[in-house]
Amino acid sequence: MRRRAALAGTALLAGAVTGLAAGPAQAQEYRYWSFWEGKGDSWTYASEGPGSLRPADGAVLGFRFTVSADSAAAGKPRGAAGFGAICADTPAEKGRKRVGVVVDFGTAADAPGGERPPASRTRCARVSEDASAGEALAAVARPLRYDASALLCAVAGYPKAGCAERVDGAKEAPSAPPSPGAADGGDDGGPSAGLFGGIAVLVVLGAAAGWQLRRRRG
């Protein structure tokens, strides 16, 4: 009897683990502007937003319009990230800094309905020494459009409307759209509610199996 109870508890736990491992089939994707920092041929997802990041003289920034569920799957700018090539024809100026900017408007497949992505552009922005990444972008790709929470929605007027919209066409922006530094599984990079819920299920089932064993012994 005790063996059957133990096996039953094991089966319950295995079933719970299997259910947790299955999880959602596919994460919800959003259409948005991703922000990158570059060096040579390498791009790294920015750890700050363009409004707060203060690039140094010689930095290279990349902006790519993409469709993804998180930063790990976001499309990188399809242009070289070398400062020397981008700013070769822009001489240094006292009291100013030079920042290379690569703007990739994405693919036709990622474009909102009825729109066509413009050709990518690579420019050298010469801005004040304390300028933000957003100000460097504005110097070479106006007009920019932001939403009420300062999320970058459009670069050089593209796209014409919308901001971090779901790819299924719903007009609902994510509670925390894919953003620089955001970790998968939670807005603040911590474990998701689903993980805590799964742990709670395992604890309850384990306690139930133990209670059945003690009852049989009694």
Side-chain angles (χ1 to χ4, degrees):
M1 296 295 288
R2 281 181 291 179
R3 179 178 176 81
R4 285 200 297 271
L7 289 173
T10 301
L12 286 171
L13 289 170
V17 170
T18 300
L20 286 173
Q26 183 176 359
Q28 176 62 58
E29 294 184 317
Y30 294 87
R31 182 180 288 112
Y32 67 103
W33 277 100
S34 59
F35 175 38
W36 305 79
E37 294 181 87
K39 185 176 183 180
D41 293 326
S42 177
W43 291 103
T44 302
Y45 207 88
S47 59
E48 297 182 55
S52 60
L53 180 66
R54 306 282 169 177
D57 180 74
V60 177
L61 309 175
F63 297 84
R64 166 74 185 267
F65 193 70
T66 186
V67 170
S68 72
D70 53 55
S71 59
K76 296 180 180 181
R78 294 168 296 174
F83 174 79
I86 297 173
C87 291
D89 298 328
T90 305
E93 184 178 301
K94 187 176 181 180
R96 311 275 286 177
K97 65 183 176 184
R98 294 173 298 165
V99 178
V101 181
V102 176
V103 181
D104 186 338
F105 294 89
T107 66
D110 293 342
E115 294 199 57
R116 178 178 298 178
S120 298
R121 63 178 69 176
T122 300
R123 301 284 189 274
C124 185
R126 188 161 51 191
V127 292
S128 63
E129 291 181 326
D130 64 344
S132 67
E135 290 172 310
L137 176 63
V140 299
R142 291 181 184 274
L144 306 183
R145 177 166 54 84
Y146 293 87
D147 71 358
S149 59
L151 179 66
L152 180 62
C153 302
V155 176
Y158 180 83
K160 296 178 181 177
C163 195
E165 295 180 326
R166 288 164 48 170
V167 294
D168 59 11
K171 298 297 184 180
E172 175 187 351
S175 57
S179 58
D184 301 344
D187 295 346
D188 58 358
S192 66
L195 175 59
F196 286 123
I199 292 173
V201 169
L202 293 179
V203 171
V204 170
L205 290 178
W211 177 81
Q212 287 182 356
L213 284 174
R214 290 194 298 273
R215 183 180 180 187
R216 296 297 184 187
R217 289 171 181 169

